[in-house]
Amino acid sequence: MSGGASPVARAGFVTVVGRPNVGKSTLVNRLVGEKVAIVSDKPQTTRNRILAVVNRPPVQMILLDTPGIHKPMHEMNRRMVATATRSIGQGDLGLWMADVEERPGPGDRFIEGLLRRSRLRVVLALNKIDRVAKPRILPAIEAWRHVSDFAEIVPVSALTGENVDRLERVLMDALPEGPALYPDDFLTDLPERFFVAEMVRERILVHTREEIPYVTGVVVESFEEKEDLVRIQAAVLVERENQKAILIGRGGSMLKRVGTEARRQIEAFLGTKVFLGLFVKVRERWREDEAVLGQMGLGEAEGRRSAPDGRD
């Protein structure tokens, strides 16, 4: 019989918060080991709350990836920020992500206030250390140390994986003791339609510039599963005719490129052949349209944190 102590079973929710474009989704994907959130170099890429489960028996960590907290200009953005702030209250632990190259500013003070009022223990991950010289990391840590009473500050690179293993240990050690809340094979609570729409939107983010990524939304209008084929029809929403022209491209080249790349990703995700039909719709002020935002899952049940067995 071994004389060593058995590992302590832990399980809990970690709410990942921060300003836009600090690398929250990149980190979540790395911790999970699978792509559950789209990523790009453009701010406000994440619009919904994404739940993803990390299983490291006997520890289970449930990550809540949230939209970047920013000053909202549209109803869509207001819902995004509300999703992030509401998710803070659903966590057992807060993971605040910040860019190591940026000094704390007014937006960070707002986030600090939200976290302080939540009374959560908070770990700060200073991301993007792969982009700075090592001597610059300690001064950055010192600058952030005065922002809040952090349980720990961990410099990481979500992109390369540097020091992410240490951050994972810090987070898991801080989770409450208890049994797993989700089955071992459970990855996320979001439906396949959500990921299909996000994969299309990601390709738009990659291939377009200026205002197009921010005025574009994707709605899956039909999802028909056959024996060896899934037929998907999706509408890409924009607000003006000139945006539609840019998104379609000369001779349909842009939309074809987006559709081809998205279809390949969707086929790999679903594990079957896919027919993907994309069409562009002009819908003025769709970012203010509550019905459209509801179709996209914005503002619906993001605060939910119940496990499948009903435990909260």
Side-chain angles (χ1 to χ4, degrees):
M1 182 179 293
S2 170
S6 300
V8 177
R10 298 180 183 275
F13 292 79
V14 179
T15 302
V16 187
V17 299
R19 292 167 64 186
N21 210 30
V22 294
K24 297 183 296 297
S25 295
T26 301
L27 178 69
V28 167
N29 287 341
R30 182 167 289 279
L31 287 169
V32 173
E34 294 190 41
K35 186 173 180 177
V36 293
I38 66 171
V39 295
S40 81
D41 59 357
K42 297 176 176 65
Q44 301 173 33
T45 297
T46 300
R47 291 176 175 174
N48 302 68
R49 189 278 283 142
I50 298 173
L51 180 150
V53 178
V54 180
N55 280 303
R56 304 282 190 271
V59 181
Q60 184 178 82
M61 177 167 63
I62 303 106
L63 300 169
L64 300 176
D65 184 17
T66 65
I69 295 176
H70 60 285
K71 185 176 181 179
M73 303 298 292
H74 300 276
E75 176 62 22
M76 180 184 75
N77 302 81
R78 284 188 284 274
R79 291 191 180 204
M80 288 163 57
V81 173
T83 292
T85 56
R86 186 163 54 248
S87 296
I88 291 172
Q90 304 301 320
D92 297 298
L93 179 68
L95 174 58
W96 183 356
M97 286 194 69
D99 188 329
V100 71
E101 295 185 283
E102 297 182 3
R103 290 293 183 261
D108 299 298
R109 288 193 289 274
F110 179 74
I111 294 172
E112 191 278 331
L114 292 173
L115 290 168
R116 176 165 29 84
R117 289 191 291 274
S118 75
R119 300 183 182 274
L120 292 180
R121 292 183 67 193
V122 178
V123 173
L124 177 69
L126 280 181
N127 192 28
K128 306 187 183 181
I129 61 172
D130 55 296
R131 294 168 50 168
V132 301
K134 298 302 181 188
R136 293 180 56 190
I137 296 175
L138 282 178
I141 292 174
E142 190 59 30
W144 279 91
R145 195 182 304 279
H146 300 289
V147 172
S148 186
D149 183 20
F150 296 111
E152 194 149 353
I153 299 176
V154 185
V156 299
S157 170
L159 183 64
T160 68
E162 185 178 356
N163 220 29
V164 170
D165 56 345
R166 177 169 172 251
L167 176 63
E168 181 180 292
R169 289 195 301 272
V170 167
L171 295 173
M172 289 190 166
D173 286 347
L175 293 175
E177 295 184 17
L181 300 172
Y182 290 86
D184 289 345
D185 60 352
F186 190 91
L187 179 62
T188 181
D189 62 347
L190 292 166
E192 291 175 338
R193 283 173 174 248
F194 169 81
F195 291 103
V196 166
E198 288 289 270
M199 289 174 190
V200 173
R201 192 165 67 86
E202 183 182 55
R203 304 329 297 167
I204 294 171
L205 287 166
V206 168
H207 294 302
T208 60
R209 300 184 304 277
E210 297 175 353
E211 86 275 13
I212 299 299
Y214 307 104
V215 299
T216 302
V218 180
V219 175
V220 175
E221 300 201 334
S222 67
F223 190 102
E224 185 182 0
E225 298 182 64
K226 297 184 178 294
E227 186 175 340
D228 57 355
L229 178 73
V230 175
R231 297 183 64 88
I232 300 168
Q233 295 285 344
V236 181
L237 305 183
V238 293
E239 295 186 329
R240 298 196 303 272
E241 286 291 339
N242 66 324
Q243 295 163 351
K244 177 179 179 178
I246 293 170
L247 199 49
I248 292 175
R250 182 174 296 178
S253 58
M254 176 64 78
L255 195 62
K256 181 178 179 181
R257 186 177 186 182
V258 166
T260 299
E261 294 180 8
R263 177 181 53 78
R264 289 172 183 157
Q265 287 193 10
I266 296 165
E267 285 181 338
F269 174 72
L270 296 177
T272 188
K273 286 286 187 183
V274 168
F275 170 83
L276 176 63
L278 292 183
F279 50 97
V280 183
K281 287 184 177 180
V282 176
R283 182 166 294 182
E284 292 184 9
R285 295 174 55 82
W286 71 262
R287 288 177 291 175
E288 305 288 349
D289 190 320
E290 294 189 2
V292 172
L293 297 175
Q295 279 185 286
M296 294 178 179
L298 283 160
E300 292 185 350
E302 290 94 340
R304 178 170 49 88
R305 55 158 281 176
S306 297
D309 61 4
R311 285 176 290 173
D312 288 308

